[in-house]
Amino acid sequence: MSFIPVPKIMADALTEITPEFLESRGIRLLMLDFDNTIVPYTTNEPTDKMRRWLEHMRASSVQLCVVSNSKRDRVKIFCEKYNLNCITHAKKPFSKGISQCLRQYGIPAENCALAGDQIYTDVLGANCAGVQSVLVKAIYNHNFWLKARHALELPFIFIARKRSIIV
């Protein structure tokens, strides 16, 4: 377990991550952040590319589960519509939701990854829980606070570009 907020893997978008890449790293379960990772905060509808990616992933041997800090029903409604399991109120970077997901699937942490757009919640939470952390670029930082948070993450992103696997 690492308390360092540097991702193990980086990708421009969630849709760049393939089942083959995950399988080559021994990953059998991919946990997904929801807001700004699958869809922007401003909509509940995924792009066609994201919809195709979800279908492709569900057809693979890699299992998916949305692990979101959100308390809104939109996450559950989305997951129902797209046939995804989900855990809400995850409290990342704390281990509550990640640990719940690991117990639910019965897969060891070393065979799991968590993909998300935030260093201080998704990456730190994954690293602390012993799962592989995957940082994807936020879909749309539409307000001042999201842009400010991203600015605070830049030093860790800079370090990660030298140390992480880039997809």
Side-chain angles (χ1 to χ4, degrees):
M1 288 189 250
S2 171
F3 295 101
I4 299 171
V6 175
K8 305 270 188 290
I9 302 164
M10 291 177 62
D12 281 338
L14 186 59
T15 54
E16 300 296 314
I17 300 165
T18 65
E20 296 79 21
F21 171 77
L22 295 171
E23 290 164 353
S24 75
R25 297 194 50 83
I27 297 170
R28 298 176 11 221
L29 170 64
L30 179 61
M31 296 176 238
L32 305 168
D33 178 49
F34 184 71
D35 287 312
N36 251 358
T37 300
I38 299 174
V39 295
Y41 286 96
T42 56
T43 183
N44 294 338
E45 287 303 314
T47 62
D48 287 338
K49 186 174 184 177
M50 182 61 71
R51 195 174 296 114
R52 285 190 304 273
W53 182 84
L54 288 168
E55 290 171 6
H56 182 64
M57 289 299 294
R58 280 196 314 270
S60 78
S61 65
V62 177
Q63 297 181 69
L64 300 176
C65 183
V66 173
V67 178
S68 174
N69 285 350
S70 180
K71 297 172 184 164
R72 296 181 179 170
D73 286 338
R74 69 189 283 265
V75 177
K76 291 179 183 177
I77 292 167
F78 178 95
C79 289
E80 232 174 71
K81 182 175 180 179
Y82 293 97
N83 197 27
L84 295 166
N85 291 330
C86 74
I87 294 169
T88 57
H89 305 81
K91 299 188 179 190
K92 297 174 289 182
F94 301 105
S95 64
K96 176 187 176 280
I98 297 168
S99 296
Q100 181 182 345
C101 188
L102 293 173
R103 282 191 308 275
Q104 182 176 323
Y105 283 86
I107 297 175
E110 59 268 15
N111 297 114
C112 301
L114 186 144
D117 68 300
Q118 294 187 45
I119 293 270
Y120 299 115
T121 56
D122 304 313
V123 171
L124 187 57
N127 289 348
C128 289
V131 304
Q132 295 185 53
S133 53
V134 182
L135 180 67
V136 299
K137 288 183 183 173
I139 294 171
Y140 179 46
N141 286 329
H142 69 283
N143 67 35
F144 170 80
W145 298 112
L146 292 174
K147 290 174 185 169
R149 183 209 74 223
H150 179 70
L152 293 171
E153 294 174 342
L154 287 174
F156 298 107
I157 292 170
F158 179 77
I159 293 167
R161 287 197 177 133
K162 295 181 180 191
R163 295 185 183 174
S164 302
I165 296 168
I166 309 293
V167 179

